[in-house]
Amino acid sequence: MTKNIQLLKMRSCPISQRQDGSDRRGDQIFPCGAGSSGDKLGMLASRKEIEKFQNDRQMTRPSSPLNVPAQMKMRVENMSVEVNTAGTENSPPMASATASSSVVTLNVGGELFQTTTATLSRAGASSPLASLGPSPADAPHLLDRDPRLFAAILSFLRNGRLASPPPSPALLAEARHFSLDGLLLSSLSPASAFSPLSLRPTALLPLTGRVAPSAVAISPSPHAASLVAAHGGVVTSFDAALASRTSVLTPLPTIDSLVAVSPAVALAGARDFPGVQLCRFPGDAPATASEALYWPDSPSSSVLSMAATAASETASHWLFASFESARRNSSAVVAFDLNSLSPVVEIGRKEVFGADVEAAIPPTKLGWLAGHSLLLAAGSHSGPAGMVGDIRLWDVRASSTVPVWEVREDDCFADVAASDSLSALFKVGAASGEVFMADLRRLSGDGISVDPWVCIGDRQRAGAATASRRKDGNGCRIECYRNWVFVARGAYVEVWTQVEITSEPGEKKVMRRNWVGNGPSVVTADGEEMDKIVSWAFGGGRMALARVDKRSVEVWDSASGTISGE
């Protein structure tokens, strides 16, 4: 009996390693640490030895219970059970406590899904999925939703993109239920995926009514690339997937300028009607256009142009609107705080005295350079002596009455734009239609006496057109988006890209021109040429175009595709 007890102590003690660095399980010998992670069988006794010990114990069992410590009894029971369940096969390693504690099991419409808390946390704090904690397979969280749609939602959270975009209306509704629609839509056409040379028409969005669109806009980053279009006095909003639309009727009979602040807010203005109309698209309620912003000193003033700053957590969200009085004798740019909808500052106020109209040309083009904290304000006027124009840059933090730079354009421009990433101004000459560039880093002092412009197109043609006072640039538009400059010439869009002449850093850079799509060779399905572009917009990874007399909006995405109607 004493010998058996000693054997039990020897076999059940933690000393389970042999001198040769191995341990014995059943009838096999395994090296210690190999295939034994998470296993409790790290004991020296074999199955035959255990059975022999138990037989000896039965033969020598006394009439009274053996006084064996409870701890030792538990070890014997654990050793017997574990050996019997393991058999002679190597048992698989158990999952670590850290990994098992992060597993979430979901029962969605009768189908089981398993994921981790880290994956669900990507849904954001506003999503109910982020609040689901770990759960075992026998007690899953119950979600009464469609498992097919939830599988696509879970795949999106894991990979950051949809397996087969664009999402269906049902999938968008499911994403909205989990407060994921904004995150999902912003992934469809991200700005990082924008490539002008790969832009192709992917959708044709028809508009209700008999009026062709007069203005289009796309929500800026970091918002999803949703789209708004103005046709007559109606503003129609499309989500980033172009799957749903919402329209609202404004008090304006027609709309000339349009700004998309976010997928839920757009601003509309007209040249001959007062005020900036706020159009709200809440998504879960009917759209409204019951609010308006006015120039406090002249509430009847009409709106010539608008520009908005990007949404930021550290800076105010402002709208800049160029107003002109009903009598055309005063103008100013007014900055509004979009959070409080109140005017903040009046910039560059001008008054016309007598017949000197050219001394107070109102801005008809506004642009915001966030990286430089500068406001571009440009306008032109056609008189008996020809066209003249003013271009001004304002630092609204320093002064609202004196611009940091200005230039008077006698050889006027058809359109002007500013690029934050290229640190430059660009214009299309009214006479030549060629593109000119002015480096912002070299603009200082009195710009009126210095010509800052460098022609990046055909210089000889530009000089000849200016001398002959032609008007080849009439109707041309120019816009800057990210690292590219776009020019709309009639029905076609050209793109200018900055490239280095040599690979050495700091060497001279030049601008090269290409056409978006197939350029002037693009024809319609009927073999006719495309119609003239009247408005365009850039945002996310796409471009939107509105053409004359066409009651639809073209959407061009960086991914390849073919144009189709809804």
Side-chain angles (χ1 to χ4, degrees):
M1 179 64 186
T2 304
K3 179 180 179 181
N4 291 337
I5 296 298
Q6 291 176 351
L7 177 64
L8 175 62
K9 291 181 179 180
M10 180 184 68
R11 301 309 184 192
S12 61
C13 70
I15 305 176
S16 59
Q17 189 168 354
R18 299 165 65 98
Q19 294 180 355
D20 57 357
S22 63
D23 65 77
R24 175 176 295 196
R25 303 181 189 175
D27 293 330
Q28 298 179 345
I29 296 178
F30 298 89
C32 283
S36 60
S37 174
D39 205 334
K40 299 179 181 179
L41 289 177
M43 303 203 178
L44 185 62
S46 68
R47 173 182 295 182
K48 294 180 179 180
E49 291 172 332
I50 294 172
E51 292 176 349
K52 182 177 182 300
F53 164 73
Q54 292 176 340
N55 292 334
D56 293 343
R57 184 181 179 185
Q58 292 290 338
M59 294 176 61
T60 59
R61 184 185 299 272
S63 56
S64 61
L66 183 64
N67 188 19
V68 180
Q71 182 180 5
M72 188 172 294
K73 289 182 180 180
M74 184 176 296
R75 288 185 178 180
V76 173
E77 294 175 357
N78 291 340
M79 181 172 62
S80 301
V81 172
E82 290 172 357
V83 171
N84 290 335
T85 56
T88 58
E89 298 294 333
N90 186 14
S91 61
M94 298 175 61
S96 65
T98 303
S100 61
S101 63
S102 64
V103 175
V104 182
T105 305
L106 305 170
N107 182 347
V108 183
E111 293 189 18
L112 291 180
F113 294 84
Q114 277 196 327
T115 182
T116 63
T117 54
T119 298
L120 295 180
S121 66
R122 296 171 187 167
S126 61
S127 174
L129 293 177
S131 62
L132 296 179
S135 58
D138 57 350
H141 296 287
L142 178 61
L143 300 178
D144 189 15
R145 309 299 299 178
D146 189 334
R148 295 173 299 173
L149 297 175
F150 187 79
I153 294 290
L154 189 57
S155 175
F156 169 72
L157 292 177
R158 287 169 174 162
N159 304 316
R161 63 183 184 277
L162 287 176
S164 56
S168 64
L171 182 56
L172 282 175
E174 191 73 3
R176 192 174 296 112
H177 172 79
F178 291 111
S179 301
L180 281 170
D181 50 323
L183 184 64
L184 186 147
L185 292 176
S186 62
S187 70
L188 296 180
S189 187
S192 58
F194 184 80
S195 176
L197 297 183
S198 66
L199 283 172
R200 295 294 183 271
T202 55
L204 189 63
L205 307 177
L207 301 173
T208 58
R210 299 182 178 182
V211 182
S214 56
V216 293
I218 299 177
S219 298
S221 298
H223 299 293
S226 59
L227 184 147
V228 288
H231 45 114
V234 178
V235 177
T236 299
S237 172
F238 298 86
D239 62 18
L242 309 179
S244 64
R245 72 177 70 195
T246 306
S247 297
V248 61
L249 179 63
T250 70
L252 304 174
T254 186
I255 295 172
D256 300 308
S257 55
L258 190 64
V259 171
V261 177
S262 70
V265 178
L267 303 164
R271 289 179 178 270
D272 297 321
F273 300 92
V276 177
Q277 299 295 322
L278 269 75
C279 305
R280 298 186 182 275
F281 305 93
D284 54 352
T288 61
S290 58
E291 301 169 276
L293 305 176
Y294 299 95
W295 181 11
D297 288 355
S298 181
S300 61
S301 297
S302 58
V303 179
L304 302 180
S305 180
M306 294 186 295
T309 63
S312 173
E313 296 181 357
T314 59
S316 300
H317 197 185
W318 284 10
L319 167 74
F320 299 97
S322 175
F323 288 96
E324 186 179 35
S325 65
R327 300 179 60 186
R328 305 290 194 268
N329 60 351
S330 61
S331 63
V333 176
V334 181
F336 296 90
D337 188 333
L338 289 177
N339 296 321
S340 61
L341 301 181
S342 59
V344 178
V345 63
E346 184 182 274
I347 305 168
R349 179 167 183 158
K350 299 178 182 179
E351 301 284 349
V352 177
F353 299 98
D356 190 10
V357 179
E358 296 181 359
I361 300 175
T364 56
K365 178 69 175 285
L366 297 179
W368 175 250
L369 289 86
H372 298 77
S373 296
L374 294 176
L375 174 67
L376 166 68
S380 60
H381 171 74
S382 179
M387 292 188 66
V388 294
D390 292 330
I391 301 176
R392 292 180 171 89
L393 294 175
W394 296 88
D395 185 350
V396 296
R397 301 167 303 178
S399 174
S400 61
T401 57
V402 180
V404 295
W405 180 83
E406 63 178 345
V407 63
R408 167 59 60 92
E409 295 282 322
D410 293 325
D411 175 23
C412 198
F413 50 85
D415 198 8
V416 182
S419 173
D420 222 348
S421 57
L422 298 177
S423 298
L425 299 177
F426 295 88
K427 73 171 184 176
V428 178
S432 63
E434 294 296 328
V435 180
F436 296 80
M437 174 181 176
D439 193 336
L440 286 175
R441 294 164 293 188
R442 298 181 180 180
L443 300 181
S444 60
D446 186 7
I448 297 178
S449 59
V450 179
D451 185 7
W453 299 105
V454 175
C455 180
I456 61 176
D458 190 334
R459 297 183 181 181
Q460 293 183 351
R461 182 178 180 277
T466 302
S468 61
R469 306 185 70 85
R470 298 203 302 262
K471 297 182 179 180
D472 295 345
N474 280 359
C476 292
R477 299 171 178 269
I478 190 168
E479 198 63 61
C480 300
Y481 182 59
R482 294 175 65 83
N483 298 325
W484 297 277
V485 182
F486 297 87
V487 180
R489 299 187 183 277
Y492 314 108
V493 178
E494 67 181 28
V495 55
W496 292 82
T497 307
Q498 189 178 68
V499 297
E500 293 185 359
I501 298 178
T502 62
S503 59
E504 298 181 6
E507 292 295 326
K508 185 177 180 180
K509 298 180 180 180
V510 297
M511 301 292 293
R512 296 287 175 84
R513 182 179 69 173
N514 288 285
W515 290 101
V516 173
N518 295 325
S521 62
V522 174
V523 294
T524 63
D526 300 330
E528 300 178 357
E529 291 188 356
M530 305 291 284
D531 293 296
K532 180 181 178 181
I533 297 171
V534 296
S535 182
W536 59 350
F538 298 87
R542 63 179 35 147
M543 172 181 72
L545 301 177
R547 299 184 184 273
V548 64
D549 296 333
K550 296 294 183 181
R551 295 192 295 270
S552 58
V553 177
E554 292 179 20
V555 178
W556 294 54
D557 281 292
S558 296
S560 60
T562 56
I563 196 164
S564 61
E566 277 192 354

